Amino acid sequence: MAMTANRVVALCEQAAYFLREDLSLIDDGSVKFELFGADVTEEQAGRMRANLSRLEEVIEGCGCHCE
């Protein structure tokens, strides 16, 4: 199923919004991630920032602006 560039951008913007919200909670200390008792917050935040960067590349690469 084909999607228009505007739809792709809209979906990426939505995902980016939620990543920014989650990163904000991590940055202010409201959210922490633990794995087997170890704090992995910084590692998770790094993965989230990488995903956000990829989404922003897609948004910019589509060359369109959604309203």
Side-chain angles (χ1 to χ4, degrees):
M1 174 173 166
M3 274 194 245
T4 66
N6 282 342
R7 180 66 178 146
V8 171
V9 169
L11 292 171
C12 288
E13 286 179 341
Q14 182 181 31
Y17 171 82
F18 288 114
L19 278 171
R20 285 187 199 99
E21 288 288 312
D22 290 347
L23 285 166
S24 175
L25 292 171
I26 290 170
D27 290 341
D28 75 12
S30 297
V31 173
K32 294 204 178 283
F33 293 92
E34 289 189 11
L35 181 65
F36 301 114
D39 185 355
V40 293
T41 304
E42 285 306 311
E43 292 88 346
Q44 182 64 23
R47 287 188 288 274
M48 293 169 75
R49 285 186 182 92
N51 286 334
L52 179 58
S53 177
R54 289 181 197 109
L55 287 169
E56 289 170 340
E57 282 182 51
V58 171
I59 294 166
E60 292 171 14
C62 281
C64 59
H65 303 284
C66 296
E67 297 176 14

